[in-house]
């Protein structure tokens, strides 16, 4: 139980924040480590496998984050209900989040099955299309368990039980890496399935994590008192509507953000296999580091949501300050390391002394240095977005995401990469400019919201910058456009 009954002090907030942020960030890093190791394994299977496998994994990731992002709308709602002491509402939200995971997974699985055909019409090589289609036809069966795990993870984290999330994800990551190695390269008497083997292993891991998380919330001494699966057999339209209202913009946001990077990757592919392979190396390196502020973002959502439910304006503001500061401090460290040793990072993926890899290495090094310079902004904007989610302000940030990433980022990237002939570095400069713009827009949005936080004359909650009635909520804001 978090210390929501006491006055929010800096020491208390740091303590409670770290109890959430450390396991959630560790879980994110462990999960990203799978993609990191997969990329290394793909590189050893050949440049074509590396390029196609990276593209396929990114396509699936975009769709998966759209679904899991939507069900993660349970996090701010459960956190607020937890802060307000509303146990029945916690139970309702958790059950309906699983229904939402199922309802969203089915059509997205159908879409995933047809992505390979679309790539063929989009100008990708025949080899890339075949490899991508093979990978997606297997991994799509992991979409529902990924979404279901996301719903259970959001609920457990919002109830300040983040440690089991870390344990399950770490164990799942170990299983996935071993499975990838065994099935990808035909070890321990198993067939050599190469890229398809990586897909099989990842799909089985997603199911294992979902089942393990379900068992945990049923058996844990404190969590089982919430009876989270009671009433799971029936739909509750009003609760489902609340989840969609808060969660759908999060899912759209996640898809748009991931889709932006997918477009950049697609453009990299148009520049050649070597450019795409170099981009994949740098992208996977940045992603694994970025998982820490991603975990910080989840922690910020929970802490802000809990204080919102409790009715403490001071607690909300202190939670924002702690999470943003922590994200910036952490991201400074890898930024410096990447700037000092770009060759060392690239050597994790390829033999930099091999003349056959010289072109990829030459392309990857400047990309890595560009990425290093923008990481601090990226971490900061993610923490701020987590705080906005905690205030249940999700629709406006989605619009700001479109403006920053799809408006500024793609325009600048295309002009620099293709118009001015800068190639890969130009595309990376475009996405870096998008991150900086989004960081500014989110900060301005959050500042406006927090300036309008007021003690409630009655019960209310912040929802997309307006006051929406909910029982026992402690803070509200004046309306925002």
């Amino acid at each position: 139980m978090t210390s929501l009954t006491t006055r929010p002090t800096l020491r208390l907030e740091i303590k409670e924040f770290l109890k959430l942020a450390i396991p959630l960030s560790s879980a994110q890093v462990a999960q990203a480590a799978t993609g990191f190791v997969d990329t290394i394994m793909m590189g050893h299977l050949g440049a074509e496998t590396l390029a196609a496998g990276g593209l396929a994994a990114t396509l699936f990731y975009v769709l998966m984050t759209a679904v899991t992002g939507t069900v993660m709308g349970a996090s701010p709602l459960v956190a607020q209900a937890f802060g307000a002491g509303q146990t029945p509402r916690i139970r309702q939200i958790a059950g309906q989040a699983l229904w939402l995971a199922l309802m969203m997974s089915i059509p997205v699985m159908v879409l995933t099955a047809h992505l390979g055909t679309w790539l063929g019409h989009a100008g990708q090589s025949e080899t890339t299309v075949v490899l991508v289609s093979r990978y997606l036809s297997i991994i799509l069966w992991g979409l529902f368990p990924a979404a279901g795990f996301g719903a259970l993870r959001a609920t457990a984290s919002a109830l300040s039980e983040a440690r089991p999330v870390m344990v399950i994800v770490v164990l799942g990551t170990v299983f996935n890496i071993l499975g990838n190695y065994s099935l990808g390269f035909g070890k321990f008497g198993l067939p050599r399935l190469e890229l398809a083997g990586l897909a099989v292993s990842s799909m089985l891991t997603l199911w294992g994590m979902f089942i393990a998380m379900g068992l945990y919330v049923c058996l844990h001494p404190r969590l089982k008192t919430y009876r989270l699966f009671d009433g799971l057999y029936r739909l509750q339209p009003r609760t489902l509507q609340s989840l969609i209202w808060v969660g759908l913009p999060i899912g759209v946001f996640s898809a748009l953000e991931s889709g932006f990077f997918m477009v950049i990757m697609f453009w990299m592919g148009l520049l050649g296999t070597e450019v795409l392979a170099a981009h994949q190396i740098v992208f996977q390196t940045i992603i694994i580091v970025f998982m820490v502020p991603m975990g910080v973002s989840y922690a910020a959502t929970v802490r802000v949501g809990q204080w919102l439910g409790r009715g403490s304006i001071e607690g909300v503001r202190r939670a924002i300050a702690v999470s943003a500061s922590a994200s910036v401090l952490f991201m400074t460290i890898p930024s410096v390391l990447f700037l000092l040793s770009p060759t060392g990072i690239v050597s994790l993926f390829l033999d930099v002394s091999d003349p056959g890899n010289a072109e990829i290495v030459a392309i990857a090094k400047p990309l890595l240095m560009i990425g290093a310079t923008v990481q601090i902004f990226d971490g900061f904007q993610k923490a701020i977005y987590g705080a906005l989610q905690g205030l249940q302000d999700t629709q406006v940030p989605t619009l700001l995401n479109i403006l920053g990433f799809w408006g500024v980022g793609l325009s600048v990237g295309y002009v620099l990469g293709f118009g001015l002939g800068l190639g890969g570095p130009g595309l990376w400069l475009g996405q870096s400019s998008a991150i900086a713009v989004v960081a500014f827009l989110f900060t301005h949005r959050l500042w406006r919201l927090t300036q309008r936080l007021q003690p409630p004359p009655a019960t209310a909650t912040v929802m997309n910058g307006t006051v929406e009635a909910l029982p026992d909520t402690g803070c509200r804001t004046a309306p925002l456009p």
Side-chain angles (χ1 to χ4, degrees):
M1 182 72 67
T2 59
S3 304
L4 288 174
T5 56
T6 61
R7 184 176 180 273
T9 64
L10 179 60
R11 182 177 180 181
L12 167 69
E13 187 56 44
I14 292 174
K15 176 184 176 182
E16 297 298 330
F17 167 78
L18 291 176
K19 284 171 61 177
L20 285 168
I22 291 175
L24 289 176
S25 296
S26 299
Q28 289 300 124
V29 170
Q31 210 161 15
T34 300
F36 185 80
V37 174
D38 280 0
T39 304
I40 294 176
M41 293 183 183
M42 290 174 191
H44 287 286
L45 290 171
E48 287 185 340
T49 301
L50 174 60
L55 181 59
T58 301
L59 286 168
F60 179 73
Y61 180 78
V62 170
L63 296 173
M64 183 179 70
T65 53
V67 177
T68 57
T70 301
V71 300
M72 287 293 286
S75 183
L77 294 176
V78 172
Q80 184 190 42
F82 175 69
Q86 300 167 345
T87 298
R89 180 161 173 78
I90 293 173
R91 187 179 307 125
Q92 292 171 359
I93 296 167
Q96 297 309 295
L98 289 173
W99 272 107
L100 185 59
L102 178 62
M103 289 187 291
M104 291 198 63
S105 295
I106 294 173
V108 176
M109 288 174 66
V110 175
L111 173 63
T112 304
H114 294 86
L115 285 177
T117 303
W118 175 81
L119 285 176
H121 296 300
Q124 297 294 315
S125 69
E126 182 178 351
T127 301
T128 297
V129 171
V130 170
L131 291 173
V132 168
S133 298
R134 188 178 304 160
Y135 182 93
L136 292 177
S137 67
I138 298 169
I139 195 67
L140 66 86
W141 296 104
L143 189 61
F144 168 68
F149 176 80
L152 296 176
R153 179 181 67 179
T155 301
S157 300
L159 297 174
S160 295
E161 289 291 342
R163 191 169 298 175
V165 176
M166 176 186 68
V167 173
I168 291 171
V169 171
V170 169
L171 291 176
T173 299
V174 172
F175 175 83
N176 199 5
I177 291 173
L178 291 175
N180 287 347
Y181 178 70
S182 302
L183 292 173
F185 294 92
K187 302 296 182 180
F188 310 113
L190 295 173
R192 180 186 174 97
L193 301 178
E194 299 193 349
L195 189 59
L198 272 60
V200 170
S201 177
S202 298
M203 181 265 294
L204 293 176
T205 300
L206 291 171
W207 274 104
M209 290 168 56
F210 173 51
I211 293 170
M213 196 70 207
L215 290 173
Y216 187 87
V217 300
C218 287
L219 301 176
H220 185 269
R222 187 169 79 85
L223 291 180
K224 72 179 182 181
T225 62
Y226 289 98
R227 305 196 313 275
L228 297 177
F229 293 140
D230 282 11
L232 186 60
Y233 59 89
R234 67 176 183 271
L235 286 172
Q236 298 176 355
R238 291 188 64 184
T239 303
L240 193 61
Q241 181 181 9
S242 297
L243 272 169
I244 294 172
W245 176 259
V246 175
L248 186 59
I250 298 175
V252 173
F253 178 100
S254 300
L256 287 173
E257 189 175 47
S258 300
F260 167 80
F261 292 108
M262 184 188 71
V263 171
I264 295 294
M265 180 174 289
F266 176 79
W267 284 352
M268 291 286 182
L270 297 180
L271 293 171
T273 300
E274 291 77 12
V275 176
L276 180 57
H279 169 78
Q280 183 64 12
I281 288 171
V282 178
F283 186 70
Q284 285 297 333
T285 303
I286 297 295
I287 281 293
I288 197 168
V289 174
F290 182 68
M291 290 301 104
V292 172
M294 183 72 78
V296 168
S297 175
Y298 295 151
T301 298
V302 171
R303 290 302 293 167
V304 170
Q306 288 177 344
W307 284 121
L308 184 69
R310 179 63 181 167
S312 173
I313 299 170
E314 183 183 355
V316 168
R317 291 172 176 165
R318 201 177 296 275
I320 293 169
V322 169
S323 59
S325 299
S327 190
V328 169
L329 286 173
F330 173 80
M331 293 301 279
T332 301
I333 299 171
S335 293
V336 172
L337 292 176
F338 292 168
L339 288 172
L340 292 177
S341 183
T343 303
I345 299 298
V346 177
S347 66
L348 295 174
F349 297 86
L350 297 172
D351 182 0
V352 296
S353 62
D354 185 350
N357 296 326
E359 185 175 355
I360 297 176
V361 174
I363 297 170
K365 288 170 64 176
L367 299 186
L368 185 61
M369 299 189 73
I370 294 171
T373 60
V374 79
Q375 280 191 105
I376 295 175
F377 290 102
D378 210 4
F380 179 76
Q381 66 93 6
K382 188 54 65 176
I384 297 300
Y385 179 60
L388 289 170
Q389 285 189 41
L391 293 174
Q392 298 174 32
D393 181 50
T394 57
Q395 293 184 354
V396 172
T398 300
L399 297 177
L400 298 179
N401 172 282
I402 296 173
L403 175 62
F405 282 99
W406 291 82
V408 176
L410 289 185
S411 299
V412 173
Y414 187 85
V415 169
L416 294 178
F418 295 101
L420 298 181
L422 296 182
L427 295 179
W428 267 80
L429 288 171
Q431 69 182 30
S432 298
S433 67
I435 290 168
V437 168
V438 168
F440 171 79
L441 293 175
F442 283 0
T443 303
H444 183 260
R445 174 67 179 175
L446 184 62
W447 179 82
R448 294 188 68 192
L449 279 176
T450 53
Q451 287 298 109
R452 288 160 173 78
L453 281 174
Q454 303 168 7
T459 55
T461 182
V462 181
M463 186 170 289
N464 299 296
T466 60
V467 178
E468 297 285 337
L470 276 178
D472 300 323
T473 302
C475 297
R476 73 173 193 171
T477 68
L480 277 177

